[in-house]
Amino acid sequence: MPQKNGMATQEPSVEQALAFLSVGDAERAATLLRALLQEDSSDAEAWHAMACVARAGGDAQSAIALAGRAIGLRPEGHFHITLAHALLEQGHAEPARAAANVAVMTTPRDPRAHEAMAAILEAENRVQEAEVALRTALRLRPLDCEKHLSLAAFLARHGRVAEAVQTSEKALRLAPENIFAHNQHAVLLERAGRMREAEPFFAVVATAFPQDAAALANYGAALFAKGDFEQARSLLQDSARRAPDAPETRTNLGLVQMALGALDEAEQELGAALALRKHDARLAVNYGTVLSDLGRRQEAEALFRQVENWEAAEQDRERARFNLGTVLLAEGRFHEGWQAFEARQSLLPARHTEELPQWDGADTGGAPVLLYAEQGLGDTLQFLRYVEPALERAPILLAVPEGLRSLVAQMESVQAGRVTLLEKGQTARSAGAVACCSLLSLAARLGVDAPYPWAQIFKDAEAGGLSGGEPRIPLRGPGDGTALQSDTKPLRVGLCWAGNPGYRFDRRRSMAPACLAPLADVPGVAFQSLQRDHTGEELSFSVAPLPEGDMLSTARLVAGLDVVITVDTVIAHQAGVLGKPVWLLNRFGGDWRWAEGSTRALPDGGAENLWYPSLRLFSQPAPGEGNAPWEKPVKAVAEALHKLVKM
């Protein structure tokens, strides 16, 4: 054995060279191999190893020549595998398949031969044959995590993401310590639309590589999807510091800032992302959205109109058009706004409408039309008003979510038999429907530009209806809440402070119960909770809990109140359609239906919402995080309550 300074040294070998190559040290591997070949130019393994080094360096042409020389000396199966890969990398699919076929024939139990064949067949778009080859490799090494990962990646590439996730789960069970397996499984879950489930797997990767910007960004994106905004922001900021030129990271960071209410910071991040990728339609739409929320609607409109004309994915252009629609509606430009608002149809999951054609709003000659609820309960209540003008052109069948059925059954048009409310399980076709239309599309289909005037659409029946007795606070014109109190009974006030936490931007529209503390100082008020799952422990003052029941039972409760104070949830719409005074605590950059485009000035200097005349806005004066943005609107509500009690 050779000696150096009295110490034994390892004899240079092909295995040692390949070991250097496996850790990325191609230069030392090549130096060692050249020395071996200088000693023995007939060493086929050394020539093959040189081919591997060439492939690793991206020199497929040299790899072909070197692998060919090795095969000329000794035609080993694994030499043909390397040749096949190199030929494929050079675009020579048929010669590559011939080389892979030799490898399969000579070493049929070597899974690498079948994997090489699979890669070539896939490149030739012979997908089924490629899958057979991959599954053959897997059968030869059923306990090899890498083989399962290869099959999972193949299935994902060909749209079979659910199968890919199942296969990657098997890989993880075989090698739970394999970081690459965790990463691939997380990526597949993301592709399957299961980003929240991907979070613990991205967490493993980020823990293993805490300095890696991509690992931090992926983990941050998963936390964002899960609703853990603060931790997501911290990780994404760390990632952005390490890799400031990553547009996806800057985008996710901007969206997190938006969700938290930090709109100025969101604008900076989303603007930076777009600057890095100037003609990315998706990034442009995100940036336009934050501009709109900041009140910079002209800039947002111009950007959305640009994206509509870009050569971009259809879905991205539809997103731009939909967002343009919300800007136009916020501005009160309803004719074009309703048309652009229709783009949402292509962005939503397909609805089961019994394959009925879409109704264009024309007279049907007496044939029924199905009108269906499309999104949230509040949207449904808002757009029920369009059922009335629709009745002028066709008999109406109405389908609404189960939670609204008993309430919608109280509509005057349903009670009078002019509208048929579909029973659970009843089909529209069996009722004779010839076409269908979303409630949110009626304004566009009927050509009703301005918001259809508010009307009392619910039957006020003495028995079983919605009447809660005569309210002691009659409205005065603009619904500003001023009125005369006729007796000394407490003012009956409903409270709702939070919406569905599953909504991505719920942090901005909902508030912590502690924000309502100033209301505790208002004397002569009996508060009633309209908040689902309210235990009473969240507030610093006494509030009657909301009884169990559906939206009809809540409506009957609301009908007996004097004022409803709520954030932007279904409760605002419910109180509005009942004509009850409703004071809306509105986030900065709120929904288009509360913007100035839906507001009419009154002669006395007040203002009236065109959708609900009984609604009064108490809006955040500026964006921000946490409880602070709610201080001024809640204080204004408390002052308004004080005035009512004193009158």
Side-chain angles (χ1 to χ4, degrees):
M1 180 177 290
Q3 300 286 319
K4 183 176 181 181
N5 298 329
M7 300 290 291
T9 60
Q10 185 179 355
E11 187 74 32
S13 66
V14 172
E15 290 73 18
Q16 186 181 3
L18 292 176
F20 286 139
L21 182 61
S22 69
V23 296
D25 195 345
E27 186 176 348
R28 287 184 70 184
T31 300
L32 194 154
L33 289 169
R34 280 194 291 268
L36 289 173
L37 288 170
Q38 212 167 21
E39 292 181 12
D40 182 5
S41 62
S42 64
D43 188 341
E45 289 288 354
W47 286 111
H48 172 254
M50 283 292 285
C52 294
V53 171
R55 271 198 70 214
D59 188 356
Q61 187 62 50
S62 295
I64 292 170
L66 292 164
R69 184 154 186 179
I71 290 169
L73 291 167
R74 192 171 76 242
E76 295 283 352
H78 62 287
F79 296 175
H80 284 91
I81 293 172
T82 300
L83 177 61
H85 282 300
L87 286 166
L88 182 61
E89 288 159 8
Q90 282 293 96
H92 307 313
E94 280 303 309
R97 188 156 60 89
N101 191 55
V102 172
V104 170
M105 295 294 290
T106 57
T107 55
R109 300 199 59 79
D110 187 340
R112 297 174 300 172
H114 297 281
E115 288 175 322
M117 180 62 81
I120 295 159
L121 291 169
E122 185 179 8
E124 293 183 320
N125 204 29
R126 296 163 65 172
V127 178
Q128 289 184 334
E129 295 171 79
E131 182 178 348
V132 170
L134 272 180
R135 291 190 181 277
T136 300
L138 182 58
R139 279 196 300 273
L140 290 168
R141 296 290 188 277
L143 301 181
D144 188 336
C145 167
E146 299 297 334
K147 300 296 180 283
H148 287 277
L149 292 176
S150 294
L151 178 59
F154 172 87
L155 292 169
R157 286 196 296 273
H158 296 283
R160 296 158 63 182
V161 180
E163 292 176 72
V165 170
Q166 293 175 352
T167 304
S168 70
E169 285 173 350
K170 295 177 184 177
L172 270 175
R173 286 196 295 270
L174 288 168
E177 76 293 341
N178 188 315
I179 303 301
F180 178 76
H182 280 272
N183 189 69
Q184 179 166 314
H185 188 58
V187 170
L188 291 174
L189 285 169
E190 180 181 7
R191 285 192 58 182
R194 298 161 59 183
M195 188 61 157
R196 292 187 179 193
E197 296 174 56
E199 182 267 326
F201 303 100
F202 278 134
V204 170
V205 180
T207 301
F209 299 102
Q211 309 300 318
D212 187 273
L216 295 172
N218 287 336
Y219 185 26
L223 287 168
F224 177 33
K226 198 175 177 180
D228 191 345
F229 299 140
E230 284 83 4
Q231 190 178 356
R233 175 166 63 182
S234 176
L235 284 162
L236 290 166
Q237 287 175 332
D238 191 3
S239 178
R241 281 192 293 270
R242 297 173 189 278
D245 294 337
E248 294 296 339
T249 303
R250 304 296 290 271
T251 293
N252 285 329
L253 178 54
L255 294 174
V256 169
Q257 299 282 28
M258 274 189 74
L260 286 167
L263 297 188
D264 289 330
E265 293 83 352
E267 187 271 336
Q268 292 175 10
E269 294 299 332
L270 295 173
L274 183 58
L276 290 166
R277 199 182 291 163
K278 296 183 184 298
H279 296 289
D280 188 310
R282 184 171 53 87
L283 302 188
V285 171
N286 288 335
Y287 185 51
T289 301
V290 74
L291 290 175
S292 178
D293 277 7
L294 283 166
R296 294 161 59 181
R297 294 200 195 105
Q298 288 186 335
E299 296 173 69
E301 177 184 346
L303 189 54
F304 292 143
R305 290 190 187 279
Q306 287 178 32
V307 176
E308 276 194 285
N309 297 314
W310 285 359
E311 291 185 6
E314 181 67 20
Q315 188 176 49
D316 289 334
R317 285 189 281 115
E318 289 296 291
R319 281 183 64 221
R321 183 157 179 75
F322 168 70
N323 280 278
L324 172 63
T326 61
V327 168
L328 296 172
L329 293 175
E331 296 269 313
R333 295 149 66 185
F334 290 103
H335 179 75
E336 186 184 0
W338 291 132
Q339 300 304 319
F341 193 60
E342 285 293 276
R344 76 192 184 283
Q345 298 274 26
S346 64
L347 304 173
L348 295 169
R351 295 189 58 87
H352 176 63
T353 52
E354 303 176 44
E355 298 184 353
L356 290 167
Q358 286 291 314
W359 184 41
D360 62 4
D363 193 304
T364 63
V369 169
L370 169 68
L371 301 183
Y372 58 88
E374 177 191 301
Q375 297 188 54
L377 301 183
D379 293 309
T380 301
L381 291 175
Q382 178 186 354
F383 283 86
L384 278 173
R385 70 189 65 209
Y386 287 97
V387 171
E388 199 63 36
L391 280 168
E392 298 174 6
R393 307 189 190 184
I396 296 302
L397 304 172
L398 188 57
V400 298
E402 190 61 26
L404 280 179
R405 284 197 80 261
S406 57
L407 174 59
V408 173
Q410 299 297 318
M411 284 176 60
E412 188 281 328
S413 56
V414 175
Q415 295 269 305
R418 296 188 301 124
V419 171
T420 300
L421 182 61
L422 289 186
E423 299 291 334
K424 188 175 182 179
Q426 182 183 8
T427 66
R429 282 195 179 276
S430 68
V434 296
C436 66
C437 181
S438 163
L439 285 168
L440 273 66
S441 293
L442 283 174
R445 305 286 171 84
L446 298 174
V448 181
D449 288 349
Y452 193 73
W454 177 88
Q456 182 70 51
I457 62 174
F458 287 96
K459 186 176 178 63
D460 189 15
E462 288 297 327
L466 298 177
S467 177
E470 283 297 315
R472 291 175 292 108
I473 304 180
L475 295 174
R476 189 194 73 178
D480 60 2
T482 56
L484 295 175
Q485 195 166 341
S486 59
D487 53 44
T488 59
K489 294 180 181 179
L491 200 68
R492 296 164 297 182
V493 178
L495 290 179
C496 180
W497 54 87
N500 181 0
Y503 172 52
R504 174 175 280 189
F505 298 115
D506 181 64
R507 286 280 199 97
R508 289 171 56 198
R509 62 103 179 253
S510 296
M511 65 171 66
C515 294
L516 294 174
L519 301 186
D521 298 329
V522 183
V525 177
F527 290 106
Q528 168 66 57
S529 173
L530 299 175
Q531 186 69 49
R532 293 287 174 192
D533 304 318
H534 164 226
T535 64
E537 298 174 357
E538 306 97 324
L539 296 166
S540 60
F541 52 94
S542 177
V543 179
L546 178 67
E548 290 291 328
D550 60 10
M551 292 299 292
L552 175 58
S553 64
T554 303
R556 286 172 175 159
L557 185 61
V558 168
L561 299 174
D562 296 308
V563 180
V564 171
I565 300 171
T566 179
V567 293
D568 185 5
T569 72
V570 63
I571 295 298
H573 295 275
Q574 188 177 58
V577 297
L578 295 176
K580 303 298 294 186
V582 52
W583 295 354
L584 180 66
L585 290 160
N586 191 38
R587 73 181 187 272
F588 184 88
D591 198 81
W592 59 267
R593 68 203 82 202
W594 316 128
E596 57 268 27
S598 291
T599 302
R600 176 173 56 203
L602 294 174
D604 64 359
E608 180 179 82
N609 182 264
L610 298 178
W611 298 103
Y612 305 114
S614 63
L615 183 142
R616 178 181 176 186
L617 284 175
F618 292 82
S619 298
Q620 293 178 352
E625 296 184 52
N627 298 343
W630 291 114
E631 290 178 3
K632 288 186 177 179
V634 171
K635 181 181 178 182
V637 163
E639 291 172 351
L641 277 179
H642 268 292
K643 291 178 182 178
L644 283 179
V645 171
K646 291 177 181 178
M647 287 184 174

